[in-house]
Amino acid sequence: MKNRGILALGSILIASGILLLVSSIFRIDAWAVLFPLILIGLGLWAIFRPKLGGEGSNIEFTLLGDMRRHPTGVLQDKDYWLMIGDLDMDLTSVEIPAGETTLRVVGFVGDLNFILPTDAAISMTAGAIAVDAKIDGHKQEGVFTPVHYESPGYAQSERRLRLDISMFVADVSLRSL
């Protein structure tokens, strides 16, 4: 599946909605049930998360806090999982290999800032309940609809960088130097 983050987010929202509906019908305190289930789910996820990516998966995870990345060398496919926090990534010093390289960001609430290289075509899809995206000074917003951006000639470009973002609430900034 291309976008496991959207599937996970959708599953969580459906399960939470069902639990809240049942609690409303039967007059049960949903928070008394939902909060422990969330903690159990986060604990299981933290334990089994290396196995979720499969062999050789390239995943960075933070529960709360900021990730500041300035990669060098050849960029590889990578997943960044953050529950609540910021991801600041400067990609100006990295070499984008021929073909398509994918960076995935999965989380709950985040402020994502990307400084992009000028020698690669960019495609970005941000799926969230609420997305506020600023792409080289142009603003796009989406509520319950994904925000998509693709640089001209993306499909024909030799080097392509794809950003897949799956969050509950996301503030995304893409800019080139």
Side-chain angles (χ1 to χ4, degrees):
M1 170 163 282
K2 275 187 175 181
N3 207 338
R4 296 179 307 229
I6 290 292
L7 179 63
L9 178 62
S11 299
I12 290 168
L13 291 174
I14 290 169
S16 299
I18 290 170
L19 181 63
L20 291 173
L21 179 64
V22 168
S23 72
S24 176
I25 291 171
F26 295 107
R27 305 215 187 277
I28 300 169
D29 182 11
W31 186 245
V33 175
L34 188 59
F35 184 68
L37 286 176
I38 290 171
L39 291 177
I40 291 167
L42 283 173
L44 289 171
W45 181 71
I47 291 169
F48 294 110
R49 119 183 109 81
K51 295 178 184 168
L52 294 174
E55 289 295 318
S57 63
N58 200 356
I59 298 172
E60 280 192 46
F61 169 76
T62 186
L63 188 59
L64 296 171
D66 298 338
M67 296 173 128
R68 304 212 188 293
R69 302 295 180 264
H70 191 88
T72 57
V74 178
L75 189 64
Q76 296 178 356
D77 292 347
K78 192 161 191 165
D79 290 7
Y80 296 91
W81 297 2
L82 64 139
M83 294 314 291
I84 299 173
D86 298 346
L87 172 62
D88 295 320
M89 185 169 292
D90 183 347
L91 297 169
T92 56
S93 299
V94 74
E95 178 186 339
I96 309 291
E100 186 173 71
T101 304
T102 302
L103 298 179
R104 286 187 181 83
V105 181
V106 179
F108 187 64
V109 177
D111 185 14
L112 313 173
N113 299 298
F114 295 92
I115 301 174
L116 303 170
T118 56
D119 63 342
I122 308 296
S123 173
M124 186 269 308
T125 301
I129 299 298
V131 178
D132 185 21
K134 188 184 257 186
I135 302 161
D136 281 331
H138 302 301
K139 192 167 186 168
Q140 293 184 25
E141 295 176 343
V143 177
F144 292 107
T145 58
V147 171
H148 183 73
Y149 166 78
E150 191 170 280
S151 57
Y154 179 81
Q156 296 79 23
S157 181
E158 179 185 353
R159 289 190 279 277
R160 299 179 308 274
L161 176 60
R162 188 174 85 204
L163 302 172
D164 285 336
I165 300 166
S166 302
M167 301 191 83
F168 191 73
V169 177
D171 184 10
V172 181
S173 173
L174 304 180
R175 61 188 171 103
S176 301
L177 292 181

